Amino acid sequence: MTSEQSSDLNSQLNPQLNPQVSSRLTTHEPVMLNEIAQCFTTVPPGVVVDATFGLGGHSKAILKANPSIQILGLDQDADAIANAERMIADDASLRDRLTVRRVRFDCFDSLNAVLEELSIKEISGALFDLGVSSPQLDFAERGFSYRNDGPLDMRMDQRSELSAADVVNNYQESELAGIITQNADERFARRIARAIVAARPISTTTHLAEVIVAAIPAPARRTGGHPAKRTFQAIRIEVNKELEILARTLQIAIDATKVGGRVAVLTYHSGENRIVKQVFRSSEKDADEPKIGSPFIHESQLGTRRVRRVRMAQYPSEQEQTQNRRAKSARLRVIEKALAEARG
Ligand SMILES: C[S@@+](CC[C@H](N)C(=O)[O-])C[C@H]1O[C@@H](n2cnc3c(N)ncnc32)[C@H](O)[C@@H]1O
């Protein structure tokens, strides 16, 4: 992407700046900021995709640490994109180096579609900082928080049809129990699902939180943080289909990354961990276990890995875990592209 293309794209592709929305955003403390910035200092010049732009804290640190790259920032949240546009308008140094798009990366290959549209054949890397951002949690009307009273919404993409109210009020009890177990490892999932169905209709976050708390046996309520935390996480993951789209999107990012480029993923719970581990492991194996006619390798490269792991699963420092609540459960995994894709 040239600087001209970048400025043109910003004006063409992004809707008018909405100061009303962007000015009300709170702050978001980026997790493992230095580790992430360091991770992209060695990548080849070009475009790094920040697939979960949020308030852009990671993007800004990456740009500062490596002057030879540009960032394509993606987010499905209208508030995040409006804020990014304001950042670009306010800071001339970002204009040629940061392009943002309101995009939901999903199973319909929207990441591929954006890269094609911007004529980006290969990227220098990608960052996925999964989960929810602080502004999404802080504004009660977004409906993510069990602490602030708001409507049952939880949509990261305000254009989506499915909201938390649909999941809570319309899913069958067994479906609800399954989601709460799979997305949050909640051991009282069945009791919680039964209590939710009995309390319908539920229209606010605090009502839902009360129902969940009452369904959990009293001794268990006193351990492991707020008793409604896991169930809220599970419903949010279902509303945003977070796990369904992750494996495919990571695979697209790895395929599009050039040799020496890196893909970094910050995860916050076991469901995300499992998927990232699985995708990274299978990418490594592509070259180790070649199929006849494999596009990735030549005989002379047998035993060479298509990607190599740079970080297995790094935890934030103890100090960061104490200072930033979101960092407690974070894990950083990084891979580097070692072999080029065969291009058809
Ligand atoms: C944890 S925040 C990212 C914070 C960011 N790294 C920063 O420094 O401010 C995650 C962001 O990713 C966005 N997001 C999550 N899933 C997405 C998806 N499938 N497509 C596009 N954006 C997504 C959310 O809307 C949210 O703004």
Side-chain angles (χ1 to χ4, degrees), residues 28-31 33 50-59 74-77 80 103-106 127 129-134 136 142 156-157 240 242 245 266 268 326:
H28 175 92
E29 185 129 7
V31 172
L33 187 65
D50 181 348
T52 49
F53 188 80
L55 285 191
H58 283 127
S59 276
L74 310 178
D75 207 296
Q76 59 185 332
D77 187 322
V103 167
R104 170 174 168 74
F105 61 78
D106 56 23
L127 168 65
D129 176 15
L130 302 172
V132 70
S133 71
S134 299
Q136 286 165 340
R142 298 295 304 266
M156 288 180 180
D157 183 342
N240 296 288
E242 291 174 37
I245 63 180
L266 268 170
Y268 296 91
R326 289 191 70 250

